[in-house]
């Protein structure tokens, strides 16, 4: 009979029977100090292991509850009003958080003043007080516009166009030249501060290709100024590098993020950059007002040689107030303040609807074409979409708001193409769909100023250049896109909006909230 030895068992009582005992057994020469250190390491390892186990359990619970959450995506091209709409949600459902952020918005407001001043001086250098016809008579429909003209930047057909001999200038032109030189000298500190403000806001992020001097920021930029932004970020694949204070992150990572934020917060009394710029604005207030009211500047704006965004005009019209000592941004200022979003920012808040509290996740996305790939990870579980289309942008090329875009593309056309992609996306077929035809206030102003829609959109034809007719025309086109890409017979809810109008927006948001919640209940088979 053949017999073999039994292999050692891990349950063997003897030391020789346990293969790990030799590895775990402390050395015979271990000193008391080494023993204490070893026991401490073992206790630390067990604490970390228990912490990981607790986090895994918490993650499972969060995953279970998150299936009942509502996820709302704010989609649309750049400069369409997504971040302004996010602020309106915050104002309605977390006003204390927005109030806490007020001081952090001073840097944005100051940048929103410094940048337009630079553009005004550049336009004066390029065009001066020339008596040539405006671009309404010199350019045609989109495809012939030079994008630099559309963005308010100087356009020259050759390098010699503006190399004018001083002797050939008229007395009025000579006077303007001297005025421009004087303004540049007096406003030099403010012009120099523009770069510092941009660096502060962007955190050193440099986006190449911008001809407008735009600032792109990620979620959590307020931590470089005063405090935290509304809501919190959450990690997902291909997130585009969002700032993250994540419920899914480990406990150690969350503690590290909190410590980092504490270290990066700036005491308002010690924020030397903002104080210096505030002092510069206070000193330059009259010069800024004088430049803004200069007849040559008004003429450039009337002739559309100088095109400033609505936020620029808002702050320049309120220069006396925002440059006053001790200035703190108002809610209206925050709604008008403009910085471009990079990546995807998630904001989380609890909302009570008809007696039931549900957690909402609101995603504010960067709208430039180069950033739209970062939207995709959020499509698969989206509950609802609010698509924002700026109807006032009919006279702008796509590169007015984007980096490295095709200057031949009208922004309305680009918005229609993007809306078509959203409507036809298979991942979004079940998402509740809301369309905001936004910036109606700006549209009214442009039409009142005599800007002709058919000058930029030839298909508009001989229709009346009136607000109701123009809005109906744009609405019909977006509705048609939806109808042609609506396999599931999904209802499209359309609203005419001005995202900076708080009273009107709060009523619209409430209606949208109720319609989304009803769709959510139906999809959950609860009604």
């Amino acid at each position: 009979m053949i017999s073999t030895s039994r292999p050692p068992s891990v349950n063997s009582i003897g030391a020789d029977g346990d293969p790990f005992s030799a590895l775990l057994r402390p050395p015979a020469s271990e000193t008391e100090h080494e023993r204490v250190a070893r026991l401490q390491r073992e206790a630390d390892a067990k604490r970390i292991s228990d912490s990981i186990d607790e986090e895994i359990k918490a993650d499972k619970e969060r995953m279970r509850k998150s299936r009942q959450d509502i996820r709302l995506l704010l989609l649309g091209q750049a400069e369409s009003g997504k971040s302004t709409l996010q602020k309106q949600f915050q104002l309605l459902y977390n006003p204390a958080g927005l109030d806490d952020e007020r001081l952090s918005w001073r840097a944005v407001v100051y940048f929103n003043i410094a940048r337009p001043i630079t553009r005004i001086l550049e336009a004066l250098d390029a065009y001066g007080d020339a008596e040539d016809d405006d671009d309404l008579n010199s350019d045609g429909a989109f495809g012939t516009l030079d994008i630099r003209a559309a963005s308010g930047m100087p356009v020259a057909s050759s390098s010699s166009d503006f190399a004018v001999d001083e002797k050939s200038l008229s007395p009025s032109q000579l006077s303007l030249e001297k005025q421009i030189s004087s303004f540049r000298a007096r406003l030099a500190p403010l012009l120099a501060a523009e770069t510092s403000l941009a660096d502060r806001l962007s955190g050193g992020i440099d986006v190449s290709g911008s001809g407008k001097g735009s600032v792109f920021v990620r979620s959590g930029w307020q931590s470089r100024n005063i405090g935290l932004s509304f809501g919190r970020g959450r990690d997902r694949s291909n997130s585009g590098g969002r700032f993250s204070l994540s419920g899914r992150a480990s406990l150690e990572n969350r503690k590290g993020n909190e410590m980092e934020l504490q270290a990066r917060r700036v005491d308002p009394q010690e924020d030397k950059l903002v104080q210096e710029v505030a002092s510069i604005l206070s000193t330059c207030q009259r010069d800024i007002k004088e430049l803004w009211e200069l007849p040559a500047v008004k003429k450039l704006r009337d002739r559309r040689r100088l095109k400033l965004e609505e936020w620029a005009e808002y702050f320049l019209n309120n220069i006396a107030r925002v440059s006053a000592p001790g200035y703190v941004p108002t809610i209206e200022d925050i709604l008008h303040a403009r910085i471009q979003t990079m990546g995807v920012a998630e904001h989380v808040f609890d909302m009570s609807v008809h007696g039931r509290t549900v957690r909402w996740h609101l995603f504010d996305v960067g709208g430039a074409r180069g950033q739209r790939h970062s939207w995709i990870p959020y499509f698969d579980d989206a509950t609802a979409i609010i698509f924002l289309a700026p109807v006032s942008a009919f006279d702008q090329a796509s590169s007015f708001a984007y980096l490295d875009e095709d200057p031949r593309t009208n922004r309305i056309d680009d918005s229609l193409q993007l809306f078509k992609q959203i409507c036809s996306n298979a991942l979004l077929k079940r998402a509740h769909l809301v369309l905001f035809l936004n910036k109606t206030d700006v549209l009214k102003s442009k039409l009142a100023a005599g800007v002709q829609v058919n000058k930029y959109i030839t298909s508009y034809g001989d229709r009346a250049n009136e607000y109701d007719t123009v809005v109906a025309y744009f609405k019909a086109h977006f509705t048609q896109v939806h109808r042609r890409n609506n396999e599931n017979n999904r209802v499209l809810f359309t609203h005419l909006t001005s995202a900076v109008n708080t009273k009107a927006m709060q009523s619209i948001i409430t209606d949208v909230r109720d319609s989304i919640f009803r769709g959510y209940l139906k999809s959950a088979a609860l009604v």
Side-chain angles (χ1 to χ4, degrees):
M1 182 177 181
I2 301 175
S3 63
T4 59
S5 61
R6 181 181 178 182
S9 170
V10 294
N11 296 318
S12 299
I13 299 177
D16 293 338
D18 187 350
F20 295 104
S21 61
L23 296 175
L24 299 177
R25 186 189 306 119
S29 58
E30 181 182 52
T31 64
E32 180 63 21
H33 177 74
E34 291 173 339
R35 188 183 71 83
V36 172
R38 175 175 56 80
L39 294 176
Q40 182 61 48
R41 288 194 301 270
E42 292 175 356
D44 291 342
K46 185 178 185 305
R47 178 180 57 81
I48 294 174
S49 178
D50 292 343
S51 175
I52 293 173
D53 290 340
E54 291 176 5
E55 185 62 23
I56 291 174
K57 292 179 181 178
D59 278 347
K60 288 181 178 179
E61 181 64 16
R62 278 191 292 269
M63 289 279 289
R64 185 186 65 80
K65 291 183 178 180
S66 69
R67 294 191 184 97
Q68 304 174 7
D69 293 353
I70 292 178
R71 292 170 177 80
L72 174 60
L73 306 184
L74 305 184
L75 303 181
Q77 60 183 200
E79 301 274 359
S80 59
K82 298 182 297 298
S83 295
T84 306
L85 178 58
Q86 174 265 308
K87 296 173 195 173
Q88 291 285 12
F89 268 93
Q90 183 177 358
L91 182 60
L92 187 58
Y93 297 109
N94 186 23
L98 190 62
D99 191 64
D100 291 342
E101 293 177 3
R102 287 194 185 193
L103 287 177
S104 70
W105 284 92
R106 288 184 303 170
V108 181
V109 172
Y110 293 159
F111 179 80
N112 286 174
I113 294 172
R115 181 56 194 160
I117 292 298
T118 300
R119 291 176 60 192
I120 290 172
L121 292 172
E122 288 173 344
L124 286 172
D125 284 338
Y127 300 110
D129 199 23
E131 296 295 332
D132 58 335
D133 291 337
D134 59 16
D135 70 349
L136 292 176
N137 295 324
S138 61
D139 58 61
F142 272 93
T144 60
L145 273 178
D146 188 306
I147 186 54
R148 292 171 297 172
S151 64
M153 301 298 288
V155 180
S157 58
S158 69
S159 59
S160 61
D161 283 3
F162 302 117
V164 182
D165 189 340
E166 187 172 312
K167 295 180 181 179
S168 66
L169 297 175
S170 66
S172 63
Q173 288 174 320
L174 279 172
S175 175
L176 181 60
E177 290 287 330
K178 292 179 180 179
Q179 283 181 297
I180 295 173
S181 297
S182 176
F183 278 122
R184 280 199 175 276
R186 285 180 285 168
L187 296 173
L190 179 61
L191 301 180
E194 179 188 345
T195 302
S196 299
L197 289 170
D199 289 342
R200 160 66 68 82
L201 294 169
S202 66
I205 298 173
D206 183 19
V207 180
S208 62
S210 175
K212 297 173 59 183
S214 301
V215 167
F216 286 78
V217 300
R218 299 189 189 277
S219 178
W221 62 268
Q222 289 96 332
S223 64
R224 288 187 292 273
N225 292 277
I226 292 291
L228 288 171
S229 62
F230 167 55
R232 65 188 183 209
R234 183 180 67 177
D235 288 330
R236 287 199 183 190
S237 59
N238 301 321
S239 63
R242 297 190 319 281
F243 174 87
S244 176
L245 190 56
S246 171
R248 294 187 177 181
S250 69
L251 290 175
E252 296 296 324
N253 286 340
R254 278 196 284 173
K255 292 178 180 178
N257 279 332
E258 291 169 0
M259 293 176 63
E260 179 185 0
L261 289 174
Q262 292 289 346
R264 291 168 62 184
R265 287 179 181 174
V266 180
D267 189 317
Q269 301 300 323
E270 298 177 357
D271 191 349
K272 294 183 179 179
L273 173 61
V274 173
Q275 286 186 351
E276 288 174 0
V277 178
S279 178
I280 292 171
L281 279 176
S282 180
T283 303
C284 298
Q285 172 189 335
R286 292 184 179 179
D287 298 324
I288 296 172
K289 183 177 175 63
E290 183 181 346
L291 174 64
W292 180 233
E293 296 175 351
L294 196 69
V297 173
K298 184 179 185 304
K299 187 180 295 184
L300 289 175
R301 295 175 62 207
D302 291 343
R303 294 178 173 179
R304 300 175 61 74
R305 291 294 194 186
L306 173 64
K307 299 180 182 179
L308 297 176
E309 299 84 347
E310 55 273 12
W311 50 262
E313 297 185 8
Y314 171 84
F315 287 114
L316 290 175
N317 286 332
N318 288 275
I319 188 62
R321 177 176 59 83
V322 299
S323 61
Y327 163 71
V328 176
T330 64
I331 295 299
E332 191 75 9
D333 294 342
I334 294 175
L335 291 175
H336 281 85
R338 172 60 182 161
I339 43 177
Q340 296 198 40
T341 304
M342 174 176 286
V344 179
E346 178 181 2
H347 306 277
V348 183
F349 54 98
D350 294 324
M351 186 185 302
S352 179
V353 184
H354 304 307
R356 177 170 179 171
T357 300
V358 178
R359 174 153 293 184
W360 288 58
H361 301 255
L362 187 149
F363 299 92
D364 177 19
V365 305
R369 285 182 182 174
Q371 299 185 52
R372 292 175 187 172
H373 66 278
S374 65
W375 304 359
I376 298 174
Y378 300 84
F379 285 179
D380 58 349
D381 58 356
T383 307
I385 301 164
I386 297 181
F387 186 92
L388 291 92
V391 291
S392 64
F394 66 86
D395 61 339
Q396 298 171 357
S398 62
S399 52
F400 182 84
Y402 303 153
L403 300 178
D404 302 323
E405 301 288 351
D406 184 356
R408 297 169 297 178
T409 303
N410 185 289
R411 285 191 63 196
I412 293 292
D413 183 54
D414 179 77
S415 191
L416 283 167
Q417 294 177 28
L418 179 57
F419 187 60
K420 178 181 178 180
Q421 294 173 18
I422 297 301
C423 291
S424 60
N425 191 293
L427 295 175
L428 299 172
K429 287 296 184 181
R430 296 185 178 181
H432 187 90
L433 186 59
V434 181
L435 172 65
F436 279 10
L437 298 179
N438 195 34
K439 300 196 175 183
T440 54
D441 55 328
V442 182
L443 174 63
K444 291 178 180 179
S445 298
K446 287 185 177 181
L447 297 178
V451 182
Q452 299 294 316
V453 175
N454 61 9
K455 175 67 178 177
Y456 301 93
I457 301 179
T458 55
S459 61
Y460 189 74
D462 296 328
R463 294 175 177 83
N465 203 63
E466 298 174 351
Y467 172 76
D468 290 339
T469 307
V470 173
V471 166
Y473 175 80
F474 290 144
K475 182 179 179 180
H477 276 268
F478 279 95
T479 302
Q480 185 178 37
V481 168
H482 171 258
R483 186 168 55 250
R484 290 180 175 178
N485 298 273
N486 189 25
E487 297 177 1
N488 293 350
N489 296 320
R490 175 173 51 184
V491 177
L492 175 65
F493 299 87
T494 304
H495 299 268
L496 304 180
T497 61
S498 170
V500 295
N501 187 330
T502 299
K503 184 176 181 180
M505 285 305 303
Q506 290 192 353
S507 175
I508 292 174
I509 288 174
T510 301
D511 291 341
V512 170
R513 179 204 66 183
D514 290 344
S515 67
I516 291 175
F517 192 70
R518 284 194 297 270
Y520 160 80
L521 292 178
K522 290 179 180 179
S523 65
L526 296 177
V527 295

